[in-house]
Amino acid sequence: MKSLFAVCLWALCLPLLSTAQDNLINIQGTVTSGGSPVAGATVTVKGGKTATTADATGAFHLRVPSDGVLVITHVDYTTLEVPVRGKTSLTILLEPNEKSLGDVVVVGYGTQKKATLTGSVSVVQGADVVKSPQPNLSNSLAGRFSGLIANNTSGEPGYDGSGILIRGLATTGSNDVLIVVDGVPGQIGGLERLDPHDIESFSILKDASAAVYGSRAANGVILITTKRGKTGKPVISYNFNQGLSSPTRLPKLADAALYATLMNEIEYYDNPAGGLNQFYTADQIQKYQDGSDPFYYPNTDWRGLTLRKNVPQTQQNLSVSGGSENVRYFLSAGMTSQDGLYKNGVTHYNQYNFRSNIDANVSPRLKVGLSLSGREESRLYPQTAAADIFRAIYRAYPTVLARYPNGLPTTGIENDNSTVQVTDVGGTNTNPTYVFNGILKGSYSIPGVKGLSVDGFLAVDESFSYDKSFSKPYNLYTYDSAAKTYNAVIVGGSNNLATLTESQQNTSLITSNIKLNYTRQFGEHHVDAFVAYEQSKNHQDILGANRLDFPTAQTPELSQGGSAATDQTNSGSSYNFTRKSYIGRADYNFEEKYLLELQARVDGSSTFPAGKQYGFFPSVSGGWRISKEKWFNLPRVVDDLKLRASYGTLGNDNVGLFQYFDNYSFNNQYVIGGSIHPGIDVTKLANPNITWETATKMDLGLNATLFQNFTLEFIYFQQKRSDILTQRNASVPQVSGIVNPYNGDPLTPSENIGKVNSNGIEATLGYSGRVGEFNYTIGGNMTFAKSKIVFIDEAPATLAYQRQTGHPLNTYLLYNAIGIYRTADDLAKYPHLPGAQLGDLIYKDVNGDGQITADDETRTKFGNIPEVTYGILLNAAYKRVDLSVVFAGQSDVSQYVLPESGTVGNFYSSWADNRWSPNNPNGSYPRVDDRASSSINGGLYNNTFWLNNSAFLRLKSIQLGYTVGNRLLSRAKISSLRFYASAFNLFTITKVKDYDPEGTSGSGQFYPQQRILNAGLNLTF
């Protein structure tokens, strides 16, 4: 009976079992994020126990129910559920989890858990930065985190980096941020030209947490970590993108007819009795307008003839990574190519770079690593500098031809013809630079004492830069209409012959570090401490030579120049600079709830005289994770809440060398006995008491995670900068006998007398969410940082409202323009300058004495560095489509720009079209004048009319990507293929009209910032 029952039961269940087996299918898939594989991602069948792990290429294989749901998890990414729906091939895109991203944060000389961090440290991943199509890495940081200002002031290939500040200006001296690459402080080569594809992460140290870098940490520290190999089979990644760059903004200029009208108006203001057609007749202006006589009455668009609308750029990168349990490697090679904006121009930048990071476990206790990287930066430019080329473009008269009908170039304006200057006709300037960085690291776990280890590194950096500038004479032409001949004017070179200047600069840096570490967990108590010794030596050699009067321009070599003694010059210099440092840090936490950190560094520097070479830089920080308290219970509202504070002293030793010596030079010459002899001249008096600047920093911070998906950070910070090196030149009495040279470097030495305070707030808010297969994150950050000068040396008689003391750094001293004289009543109503006319600017009589004098200048509220910066970040993914967006903005910032216009050059259309004139008495701009730089409406009385509000909101970066399905790639054994389109500086909202609001040129004459449209692919095998 039992056998019969079993047979019957089996017969009944067999169809059910067959159905269950038939419902299982084999799935192969790939887990990626941002085009890169996510190794180690866990793939689980929801509601079951079946699971697997993605390999180094992100690939996985699993047998699952056809109607099942996969759950993909990874510590650094948002958990994702994917319905199978009978598919046998899946490409799964994970979004970075902002809450856990960077759970371990790179800090000075080590790492820390983000949860127990007590300092103000911002982190961004290299995978995010690489989404910007900018070849210069510094331009990809703006808007991504609070506390950092990155203003891009030029788009010239090879010199297109952003100026980086942390929490604004804090000193009248150097505000340069310390760059640390893979643990090496001040690594030669810096930040800008690193390949973005090699970067793992950035950490920004903004407060006293930077005290481990002592005398170089006052301006903040940026820590850059490059990628390392991971255990697994080799992963080959290839990245390619092709872009087109164009100016974000160029001023529109007056055409020939309008310019001729403006010249007539200028003549009229000098001689009203002569009428409005003293320079050009109405018939001549008409010819400029209608183009009926283009030879004698041209309408030349110098900007259009000199500049291209867009130019190409290319970036490529190939990397291989992988390894075994004992040896791991990351190898990378990259190439960047950028063209200049000029038509027929020679400007070009090429870069070739490589990186090799190898890590090995020699034994269970001994680990070593070798990092080698290098690059060649090849720059080629015309003889005329970019600023001078754009000056020639903006100044050139539209009433002058660029080239005659027979092709001969004209003399343009003052023998500056921009269409010729951009070519190699006048010679070229080549500037190749070679950089090498090598780091040998090792660590050893000491037996017998649990948690005790020693590690260290030896870093060798070398840089060689070579410059060769060959200037050749060339011809421009004028036309003699009477004789109907073209007369040559020789431009360039010297004495109508070619000249050659060559220079080279060799720089080396050797840095060594040894560190003893101790890390232990005693129950609920955790201790992490180290002590270290570090030293470095920096050496530089500079050699230069010049040769004049080359018999022929066909032999651009130093040996082929003129033979006279006066045809040859040379120069050279060198220096050694050394540091010694003793460093220590101790971290303690109890249950990851009560947090304490102590740091200290003793720095010695050869910059300062004996007895004053060493400084002590301590800091303390602490935190309280309130959410870890048993009594704290706000479920589903506050998931994590931490209060923290830091206080410490940091230094800034980035000052000129050898200031504790009297400086001499052979500037003077003396005639003795009929012969000329060189004479030694004192160029700088010594300061035997020179020392570093000191920054005392205090931070109060709050970090929170709310409703599981919101992250919040709020910081209040203060800084007091003292001992700033500045000259005591304003108050030095004449009876001292010290006479500073006119318009030159003061003879008086710098002294540690300056004081600047600054304070502000930072706020960051983020949210991550998911709706079905749509994942997204949105974040915003804001920084307010304001400086206040406490003391600099100012003349005692300086008026209170004109003093720099008490105002922010970099403000302007200007007359306050409050309107335009439009009627005779206006001239009678307001005090005015002698000779003021209708159409001139009205200046405010600040002191009320009934006249406009220098006492009426006042300090502006803002300078040219923004007090407020902010960013908005958006990331989204739906199935195989991903989107990344970065907005960056600034406010509370002003930039003074006075165009060089008049008979000295053309006018911006914004001025020309809206000027006051007898025919347009309601114009919003003042009347035109002979030379803006020496006009009472311009450079003669610098005023607030030309002070622009440089606030803006800019779409800094956007990228849209699509990852191809795995089914299409499997036959080609391709792990991942992603196509994308991206843009940089796509649009800007600002009140600035004629130039990019990030520019800092006082005349607007600079190589413009670039808008980049880009397309590319990421390919992984």
Side-chain angles (χ1 to χ4, degrees):
M1 290 294 293
K2 290 183 179 180
S3 299
L4 180 61
F5 177 77
V7 170
C8 292
L9 183 62
W10 176 254
L12 289 171
C13 295
L14 183 59
L16 297 176
L17 292 172
S18 299
T19 301
Q21 292 295 324
D22 291 342
N23 192 38
L24 292 177
I25 60 175
N26 291 316
I27 284 184
Q28 62 178 5
T30 305
V31 185
T32 66
S33 179
S36 299
V38 180
T42 301
V43 183
T44 308
V45 178
K46 187 174 183 179
K49 297 182 178 180
T50 305
T52 187
T53 302
D55 65 17
T57 68
F60 68 91
H61 299 272
L62 202 63
R63 186 168 175 81
V64 301
S66 62
D67 59 351
V69 176
L70 299 183
V71 180
I72 299 90
T73 59
H74 190 284
V75 66
D76 290 336
Y77 299 88
T78 302
T79 298
L80 181 64
E81 294 185 5
V82 179
V84 176
R85 295 172 182 169
K87 298 176 182 177
T88 59
S89 178
L90 291 173
T91 297
I92 296 169
L93 304 176
L94 295 184
E95 277 300 305
N97 184 351
E98 295 297 334
K99 293 181 293 183
S100 63
L101 189 64
D103 184 53
V104 176
V105 177
V106 177
V107 296
Y109 298 98
T111 60
Q112 291 181 352
K113 291 182 66 174
K114 192 172 184 179
T116 60
L117 197 63
T118 55
S120 292
V121 182
S122 293
V123 179
V124 66
Q125 300 300 307
D128 294 327
V129 173
V130 79
K131 294 179 181 179
S132 172
Q134 245 295 336
N136 191 307
L137 188 60
S138 66
N139 295 330
S140 302
L141 302 180
R144 293 189 179 274
F145 28 60
S146 63
L148 184 137
I149 301 172
N151 275 141
N152 178 222
T153 58
S154 171
E156 185 178 19
Y159 294 106
D160 51 358
S162 291
I164 293 178
L165 299 170
I166 292 179
R167 293 179 172 176
L169 294 176
T171 174
T172 58
S174 171
N175 285 272
D176 291 347
V177 176
L178 175 64
I179 305 298
V180 180
V181 182
D182 286 336
V184 181
Q187 186 181 78
I188 288 178
L191 160 70
E192 292 187 356
R193 291 299 165 186
L194 293 177
D195 191 327
H197 298 91
D198 293 348
I199 306 301
E200 181 69 29
S201 68
F202 295 84
S203 293
I204 317 298
L205 310 185
K206 298 176 284 188
D207 67 335
S209 62
V212 287
Y213 292 103
S215 63
R216 291 191 279 179
N219 297 325
V221 181
I222 296 180
L223 307 176
I224 301 171
T225 304
T226 62
K227 294 179 179 178
R228 319 295 298 188
K230 298 178 181 179
T231 301
K233 69 178 184 179
V235 177
I236 302 174
S237 296
Y238 174 68
N239 298 276
F240 171 83
N241 66 69
Q242 180 68 52
L244 289 175
S245 64
S246 59
T248 55
R249 183 168 302 184
L250 289 172
K252 184 181 178 183
L253 301 166
D255 63 15
L258 179 54
Y259 182 75
T261 302
L262 299 177
M263 291 301 98
N264 279 343
E265 289 179 12
I266 291 172
E267 291 293 321
Y268 168 78
Y269 300 139
D270 292 337
N271 179 27
L276 280 170
N277 289 98
Q278 299 179 50
F279 205 96
Y280 293 100
T281 66
D283 181 60
Q284 290 174 320
I285 293 176
Q286 181 59 37
K287 290 180 179 179
Y288 283 123
Q289 182 73 47
D290 60 28
S292 57
D293 189 353
F295 185 84
Y296 287 103
Y297 299 96
N299 184 15
T300 304
D301 176 11
W302 287 91
R303 195 186 80 180
L305 291 173
T306 306
L307 305 179
R308 293 190 279 177
K309 291 184 178 180
N310 51 64
V311 293
Q313 70 168 42
T314 303
Q315 289 179 278
Q316 297 184 71
N317 176 272
L318 178 66
S319 66
V320 182
S321 65
S324 64
E325 291 184 4
N326 291 324
V327 179
R328 297 161 301 282
Y329 55 87
F330 173 82
L331 308 174
S332 171
M335 186 276 286
T336 299
S337 177
Q338 293 174 270
D339 271 354
L341 275 174
Y342 312 127
K343 289 183 177 179
N344 304 312
V346 295
T347 295
H348 194 80
Y349 176 80
N350 277 330
Q351 176 177 308
Y352 306 92
N353 55 270
F354 76 91
R355 183 172 298 276
S356 170
N357 291 341
I358 300 175
D359 300 289
N361 300 338
V362 179
S363 71
R365 293 186 178 276
L366 178 61
K367 299 178 181 179
V368 296
L370 178 64
S371 299
L372 304 175
S373 64
R375 66 179 179 269
E376 175 189 351
E377 304 169 12
S378 180
R379 297 172 174 86
L380 176 64
Y381 302 106
Q383 271 296 302
T384 306
D388 293 327
I389 290 172
F390 281 89
R391 181 172 186 251
I393 293 172
Y394 298 156
R395 291 183 61 214
Y397 306 136
T399 55
V400 173
L401 286 167
R403 290 183 180 271
Y404 295 109
N406 61 7
L408 294 177
T410 71
T411 53
I413 180 169
E414 299 175 356
N415 294 334
D416 289 334
N417 186 320
S418 60
T419 65
V420 179
Q421 289 175 327
V422 300
T423 70
D424 60 0
V425 170
T428 58
N429 190 328
T430 57
N431 177 216
T433 299
Y434 305 89
V435 177
F436 170 79
N437 307 112
I439 309 171
L440 177 63
K441 294 184 176 182
S443 65
Y444 182 72
S445 296
I446 299 175
V449 183
K450 186 177 180 180
L452 189 65
S453 66
V454 62
D455 63 57
F457 69 82
L458 174 66
V460 177
D461 301 334
E462 296 283 346
S463 174
F464 169 75
S465 181
Y466 172 71
D467 188 273
K468 184 173 184 178
S469 177
F470 190 58
S471 176
K472 301 185 296 184
Y474 60 94
N475 291 336
L476 300 177
Y477 295 87
T478 61
Y479 180 69
D480 186 337
S481 57
K484 295 185 178 181
T485 59
Y486 296 90
N487 301 317
V489 176
I490 300 176
V491 177
S494 176
N495 299 321
N496 297 335
L497 295 172
T499 66
L500 175 63
T501 300
E502 292 189 32
S503 64
Q504 67 178 46
Q505 177 175 300
N506 301 325
T507 306
S508 67
L509 172 65
I510 300 177
T511 308
S512 57
N513 175 289
I514 187 167
K515 181 158 64 80
L516 182 67
N517 312 280
Y518 183 70
T519 302
R520 281 293 301 272
Q521 186 78 32
F522 300 96
E524 302 298 337
H525 304 271
H526 180 79
V527 177
D528 191 345
F530 77 81
V531 291
Y533 171 77
E534 184 174 282
Q535 67 180 29
S536 64
K537 178 181 180 181
N538 191 299
H539 176 76
Q540 185 175 90
D541 285 304
I542 299 175
L543 179 65
N546 178 260
R547 201 75 179 260
L548 304 177
D549 298 343
F550 278 71
T552 173
Q554 303 301 312
T555 55
E557 304 298 337
L558 280 174
S559 60
Q560 304 302 306
S563 58
T566 54
D567 290 338
Q568 319 171 39
T569 60
N570 58 70
S571 62
S573 63
S574 67
Y575 70 79
N576 287 307
F577 172 67
T578 58
R579 283 189 173 94
K580 289 184 178 181
S581 304
Y582 306 88
I583 315 161
R585 180 170 65 213
D587 293 313
Y588 166 80
N589 75 71
F590 175 73
E591 294 183 331
E592 294 190 352
K593 178 168 54 177
Y594 305 118
L595 319 170
L596 178 66
E597 178 177 278
L598 301 175
Q599 295 187 116
R601 180 166 179 142
V602 175
D603 263 339
S605 170
S606 64
T607 298
F608 308 111
K612 298 181 180 294
Q613 292 179 327
Y614 284 89
F616 179 57
F617 304 96
S619 76
V620 59
S621 60
W624 177 28
R625 293 183 69 192
I626 303 175
S627 54
K628 297 278 284 185
E629 297 287 358
K630 294 180 180 179
W631 51 261
F632 187 90
N633 186 17
L634 291 174
R636 302 181 183 178
V637 178
V638 179
D639 305 294
D640 189 62
L641 178 62
K642 177 171 65 176
L643 298 179
R644 56 183 177 79
S646 66
Y647 183 85
T649 301
L650 302 88
N652 181 15
D653 68 356
N654 190 2
V655 298
L657 303 178
F658 314 121
Q659 295 192 46
Y660 51 90
F661 292 122
D662 284 329
N663 283 205
Y664 298 90
S665 65
F666 291 98
N667 286 341
N668 287 336
Q669 292 181 330
Y670 300 92
V671 178
I672 302 175
S675 300
I676 298 176
H677 298 269
I680 293 178
D681 189 20
V682 177
T683 55
K684 178 71 72 173
L685 295 173
N687 176 5
N689 298 308
I690 185 175
T691 186
W692 42 74
E693 298 179 12
T694 300
T696 302
K697 294 189 176 186
M698 184 272 288
D699 267 44
L700 300 175
L702 178 151
N703 295 81
T705 302
L706 310 173
F707 305 104
Q708 295 186 332
N709 294 323
F710 284 98
T711 57
L712 170 68
E713 181 178 53
F714 182 84
I715 303 169
Y716 171 76
F717 61 86
Q718 282 185 354
Q719 178 180 180
K720 293 184 178 181
R721 190 73 65 96
S722 59
D723 296 328
I724 298 173
L725 274 174
T726 185
Q727 283 88 11
R728 195 189 298 275
N729 58 324
S731 60
V732 175
Q734 293 183 353
V735 294
S736 68
I738 300 174
V739 180
N740 290 322
Y742 175 74
N743 232 3
D745 188 29
L747 182 63
T748 51
S750 295
E751 299 179 62
N752 297 102
I753 56 176
K755 294 181 180 181
V756 176
N757 291 346
S758 58
N759 61 74
I761 59 173
E762 295 179 25
T764 303
L765 180 64
Y767 177 82
S768 60
R770 178 170 60 87
V771 180
E773 295 184 67
F774 178 67
N775 297 275
Y776 63 95
T777 61
I778 180 171
N781 62 78
M782 184 278 293
T783 304
F784 168 76
K786 185 173 184 177
S787 62
K788 178 182 178 181
I789 298 174
V790 177
F791 179 81
I792 58 171
D793 191 43
E794 297 190 88
T798 304
L799 296 170
Y801 54 84
Q802 294 183 343
R803 295 176 67 87
Q804 296 182 65
T805 304
H807 289 84
L809 290 160
N810 277 31
T811 56
Y812 303 91
L813 186 61
L814 303 172
Y815 291 90
N816 189 3
I818 57 176
I820 295 175
Y821 294 112
R822 303 186 186 280
T823 65
D825 290 341
D826 290 338
L827 280 170
K829 180 180 178 181
Y830 296 99
H832 54 74
L833 296 163
Q837 303 181 29
L838 297 181
D840 285 339
L841 293 173
I842 303 173
Y843 298 138
K844 184 177 180 179
D845 179 15
V846 174
N847 62 2
D849 64 357
Q851 54 186 338
I852 303 300
T853 67
D855 290 346
D856 294 311
E857 293 180 282
T858 59
R859 284 276 156 202
T860 58
K861 186 176 181 180
F862 306 120
N864 63 355
I865 300 298
E867 292 185 356
V868 176
T869 55
Y870 54 94
I872 302 171
L873 295 88
L874 305 170
N875 289 281
Y878 178 72
K879 294 185 177 179
R880 297 189 180 97
V881 179
D882 61 272
L883 176 68
S884 174
V885 180
V886 178
F887 287 91
Q890 65 178 34
S891 64
D892 292 0
V893 56
S894 300
Q895 176 62 37
Y896 184 86
V897 177
L898 175 65
E900 194 174 5
S901 303
T903 56
V904 73
N906 201 1
F907 288 84
Y908 290 176
S909 293
S910 56
W911 187 357
D913 293 340
N914 299 286
R915 71 197 183 283
W916 181 97
S917 72
N919 298 323
N920 184 29
N922 294 318
S924 56
Y925 278 70
R927 66 181 177 90
V928 293
D929 208 344
D930 184 55
R931 298 176 73 96
S933 57
S934 58
S935 169
I936 64 172
N937 296 310
L940 199 58
Y941 293 86
N942 292 322
N943 60 81
T944 57
F945 184 87
W946 306 107
L947 187 67
N948 292 272
N949 177 358
S950 296
F952 66 77
L953 172 63
R954 165 168 276 168
L955 179 51
K956 200 68 178 179
S957 177
I958 181 171
Q959 185 181 96
L960 179 65
Y962 176 78
T963 300
V964 178
N966 194 55
R967 181 179 299 176
L968 299 175
L969 305 177
S970 58
R971 292 182 180 179
K973 297 184 178 181
I974 297 175
S975 299
S976 175
L977 174 60
R978 176 175 174 269
F979 296 97
Y980 63 86
S982 58
F984 177 78
N985 285 347
L986 190 59
F987 70 81
T988 306
I989 301 172
T990 181
K991 293 182 179 180
V992 178
K993 298 178 180 179
D994 296 306
Y995 62 94
D996 193 286
E998 289 192 65
T1000 57
S1001 168
S1003 62
Q1005 299 164 348
F1006 61 94
Y1007 196 108
Q1009 292 84 348
Q1010 298 298 292
R1011 176 187 296 109
I1012 302 172
L1013 301 177
N1014 196 57
L1017 62 86
N1018 310 128
L1019 182 62
T1020 303
F1021 297 92

